[in-house]
Amino acid sequence: MSPPIHETVPLTSIRQEDSPTPLPLLDELGIENVKFNEDETAVEKQTTDWTSIYVAASLSFVGAVQFSLFFVIVSLYSLGTMLVSPIVGIWANKIHSSVPAIELGLLLMLLGNVLYFATPVLPIPLSKKYLILIARVFVGVGSANMSLLRAYSVTASTGVDRAKAIAYVTGGLALGMTMGPAFQLLFTPLGSPGWVITENLQIDIYTAPAILGCLFNIFGIYLVRFHFVEKQIGVPDKAEKEKHGKLPPYDKLAIAVCYFTWFCQMFIITNLEGYILLLLYKSNECNYSIGTPLAMVMFAWDRSTVVRNVAIAQGIKAALSLITFWVYIQFNLGRRLNSNRTMYACLAGLVFFHLLTYMWPFLPGEITTFNNNDVLLANGTELVGCNTDHLTWCTYTTAVNPWIFYAGYTVVIALTFSHSNIALNTLFSKIIGPRQQAAQQGFLQLAGGSARFLGPVLITYIYVEVGPRWVWNIELAVVIITLASWILLKHRMVPLEVPEAFAQFQDKDDPDRVRNKKQKKSMNV
């Protein structure tokens, strides 16, 4: 009896559905989505949950926009953020979840805005100005949750997607800070008293931002409750650490440079928005403005002209920021651009802006001046320029061309702020490595909050006493020191080198890592 003949069938002709244990086709999954276990069986990798990243970006916008929605008491807001951010980060790391702290932050911001709006009718035996201060502290404490959102963009994304995920969240943060003043300007036509609800309660230029803030926070709570799913796919779990050992420690000096850089960036942007925007408005209840805004002093514009021109400048700045983040996300520039070189260019751009808009003694322009006698003779008519009885430096300070000033502000500041926001936060996360980062992000926010707290206080005093030229001198010094730190420590501003067992948590084509490897090879040669 002859042996049975076995027909050879090509593997490609076997239909997967006929197999008793069908496996996903590699072509369908994509090579980058497939890994192999130790028994060589193909399994699907975890992928970035983009829905949660989009929610985190939206929540970053909600928190950041409330920083600049109010043109007064910026320092009190920042004090709350500064003190609580590290605590919130440590708490999130300890419980291995960011959701409770994020929800608590949104509730505190909601409470702060309600308190701000209802201050005139609250039966509390405190001065109204102290209630407003307390309200802003509540909002500042609540906004400490923004550090958790940046940390989440790292832990919820794969190494390949990390730069793009960070771009989403930092983009929401930067757009919120940019759009806040623009929203505030929309309420300018309301004036005061605006729409009167009761004798002591009204919707006007000062209270309308609080209502908008409440709506933003309610929207944020809705997003967290129904659309936010917390995942930890970007960091090794406990089992992997027990199997392969702990990650090496990160470079604390490099992290310190990042902290100082964030301080520098927040110091510059807070002061600029303060002199271009914050000084424009005064509250009848609490006069926190230091006086006439720089635009009225330097360019002899009346108040309505300043409002119009500032609105145009903020609109252009916001549009450029939005375009920048769209380009970063659409073309995934985080995987193409080296973070160090981007930071060099951004810091150099800040130096260029300050030199371009500096009140050089040789400039031909002069500041228009008047004094208290002129105010009396004007009989209520608004005078433009600088009151020499209040600001003595007006007589010897030259005026900058307004076209140059606002072109520099809208273009240079918009581009440098947007690019450095992404580059700094991306490299910061890489230096720490694939580990929980909520605590470190909290201290990063502490650095930014300290700049927003100290900046208005320090710079206001200098502006009044010796003028904007010395404000520019201090800001230039801070930027130059920051740029020098990056150049001198460039060999340390690199991603953490992790063991091969944890390589899956990093991007093998990361432009920061590739450049670092090339530098090491050249040094060995």
Side-chain angles (χ1 to χ4, degrees):
M1 186 175 179
S2 60
I5 298 176
H6 297 282
E7 182 181 0
T8 303
V9 181
L11 288 177
T12 54
S13 67
I14 299 178
R15 294 184 303 172
Q16 189 177 6
E17 58 267 28
D18 295 336
S19 171
T21 56
L23 292 174
L25 295 176
L26 297 184
D27 288 341
E28 293 176 356
L29 288 174
I31 298 298
E32 72 278 4
N33 290 329
V34 178
K35 66 177 181 181
F36 291 89
N37 286 336
E38 293 179 355
D39 59 356
E40 297 300 322
T41 59
V43 295
E44 187 176 358
K45 276 187 181 179
Q46 296 188 81
T47 57
T48 302
D49 182 359
W50 287 110
T51 300
S52 293
I53 294 296
Y54 301 152
V55 172
S58 301
L59 294 174
S60 293
F61 176 86
V62 166
V65 77
Q66 294 176 78
F67 159 65
S68 47
L69 259 180
F70 300 85
F71 285 173
V72 293
I73 39 184
V74 175
S75 289
L76 268 297
Y77 170 99
S78 303
L79 178 63
T81 305
M82 182 175 66
L83 295 178
V84 178
S85 291
I87 299 173
V88 168
I90 294 170
W91 175 33
N93 273 357
K94 187 172 183 179
I95 66 175
H96 301 289
S97 175
S98 299
V99 172
I102 292 174
E103 286 189 338
L104 179 60
L106 290 167
L107 288 172
L108 286 174
M109 286 191 284
L110 177 60
L111 176 62
N113 282 304
V114 171
L115 178 60
Y116 188 99
F117 176 74
T119 291
V121 296
L122 289 176
I124 300 176
L126 274 178
S127 171
K128 303 305 181 186
K129 64 180 180 182
Y130 292 120
L131 288 177
I132 292 177
L133 294 176
I134 293 171
R136 288 304 285 161
V137 170
F138 269 116
V139 177
V141 170
S143 70
N145 63 11
M146 286 189 291
S147 62
L148 303 179
L149 298 170
R150 288 198 298 265
Y152 179 75
S153 66
V154 176
T155 59
S157 58
T158 63
V160 174
D161 293 332
R162 187 149 302 140
K164 187 175 181 179
I166 291 173
Y168 269 110
V169 176
T170 56
L173 172 67
L175 282 176
M177 295 183 65
T178 302
M179 291 298 295
F183 282 129
Q184 172 68 76
L185 289 168
L186 293 177
F187 301 129
T188 303
L190 289 175
S192 181
W195 299 336
V196 178
I197 301 175
T198 65
E199 182 180 354
N200 295 319
L201 191 64
Q202 54 206 27
I203 299 176
D204 57 22
I205 185 174
Y206 308 111
T207 59
I211 298 175
L212 182 60
C214 289
L215 295 176
F216 276 135
N217 290 314
I218 293 171
F219 176 65
I221 293 171
Y222 163 77
L223 288 177
V224 173
R225 285 297 181 93
F226 298 102
H227 297 283
F228 188 74
V229 180
E230 191 167 21
K231 292 189 176 182
Q232 305 286 338
I233 65 174
V235 295
D237 57 25
K238 185 177 180 180
E240 287 173 305
K241 291 178 183 177
E242 290 176 351
K243 180 178 180 180
H244 302 296
K246 294 182 178 180
L247 289 167
Y250 56 84
D251 190 332
K252 291 182 173 58
L253 181 58
I255 290 298
V257 172
C258 292
Y259 289 156
F260 187 74
T261 304
W262 191 241
F263 173 91
C264 169
Q265 185 168 327
M266 291 296 100
F267 186 75
I268 299 300
I269 199 67
T270 302
N271 293 335
L272 283 177
E273 289 186 346
Y275 290 108
I276 292 175
L277 299 168
L278 302 183
L279 309 184
L280 185 57
Y281 299 95
K282 294 184 179 181
S283 168
N284 294 328
E285 176 67 32
C286 305
N287 186 5
Y288 295 102
S289 169
I290 69 168
T292 310
L294 182 63
M296 295 179 71
V297 171
M298 187 69 63
F299 311 131
W301 291 344
D302 59 28
R303 198 167 292 270
S304 61
T305 302
V306 172
V307 170
R308 182 197 64 204
N309 292 347
V310 165
I312 294 172
Q314 283 299 117
I316 296 173
K317 183 169 172 279
L320 288 175
S321 298
L322 181 62
I323 292 171
T324 300
F325 288 113
W326 180 84
V327 170
Y328 250 95
I329 293 167
Q330 183 68 24
F331 299 100
N332 207 0
L333 293 186
R335 298 192 70 202
R336 301 170 184 266
L337 300 179
N338 178 267
S339 298
N340 279 271
R341 292 173 181 170
T342 302
M343 289 306 304
Y344 298 157
C346 291
L347 292 169
L350 290 178
V351 173
F352 171 73
F353 167 79
H354 283 84
L355 295 177
L356 179 69
T357 58
Y358 194 80
M359 299 82 185
W360 299 101
F362 56 77
L363 291 177
E366 294 182 354
I367 294 178
T368 302
T369 60
F370 61 91
N371 55 35
N372 287 339
N373 290 331
D374 296 324
V375 175
L376 293 174
L377 294 173
N379 194 25
T381 303
E382 181 182 13
L383 298 179
V384 297
C386 182
N387 189 333
T388 55
D389 290 331
H390 293 168
L391 304 171
T392 57
W393 45 263
C394 298
T395 56
Y396 58 82
T397 301
T398 53
V400 180
N401 184 289
W403 287 99
I404 294 176
F405 186 91
Y406 277 97
Y409 175 72
T410 55
V411 178
V412 179
I413 296 300
L415 295 179
T416 55
F417 184 68
S418 302
H419 283 278
S420 64
N421 231 329
I422 299 174
L424 176 63
N425 282 281
T426 302
L427 186 58
F428 179 78
S429 69
K430 294 176 184 177
I431 293 172
I432 297 173
R435 50 164 57 93
Q436 296 290 339
Q437 301 186 6
Q440 292 87 348
Q441 290 285 355
F443 283 106
L444 183 68
Q445 189 146 326
L446 166 63
S450 62
R452 294 197 298 263
F453 176 71
L454 295 174
V457 177
L458 174 65
I459 298 302
T460 292
Y461 175 79
I462 294 173
Y463 174 85
V464 172
E465 294 299 321
V466 292
R469 188 177 292 167
W470 272 99
V471 172
W472 256 238
N473 289 341
I474 293 174
E475 292 182 359
L476 265 173
V478 172
V479 176
I480 290 172
I481 291 172
T482 306
L483 178 57
S485 300
W486 279 83
I487 295 173
L488 293 175
L489 298 172
K490 62 181 180 181
H491 60 289
R492 301 184 68 163
M493 307 301 294
V494 293
L496 178 71
E497 288 290 336
V498 301
E500 188 63 30
F502 299 110
Q504 61 177 308
F505 296 102
Q506 291 185 324
D507 182 6
K508 63 182 179 63
D509 297 322
D510 180 359
D512 297 320
R513 294 181 66 224
V514 170
R515 181 171 177 267
N516 188 35
K517 289 180 179 179
K518 289 181 179 179
Q519 286 180 339
K520 287 184 176 180
K521 286 182 180 180
S522 62
M523 290 174 65
N524 293 333
V525 174

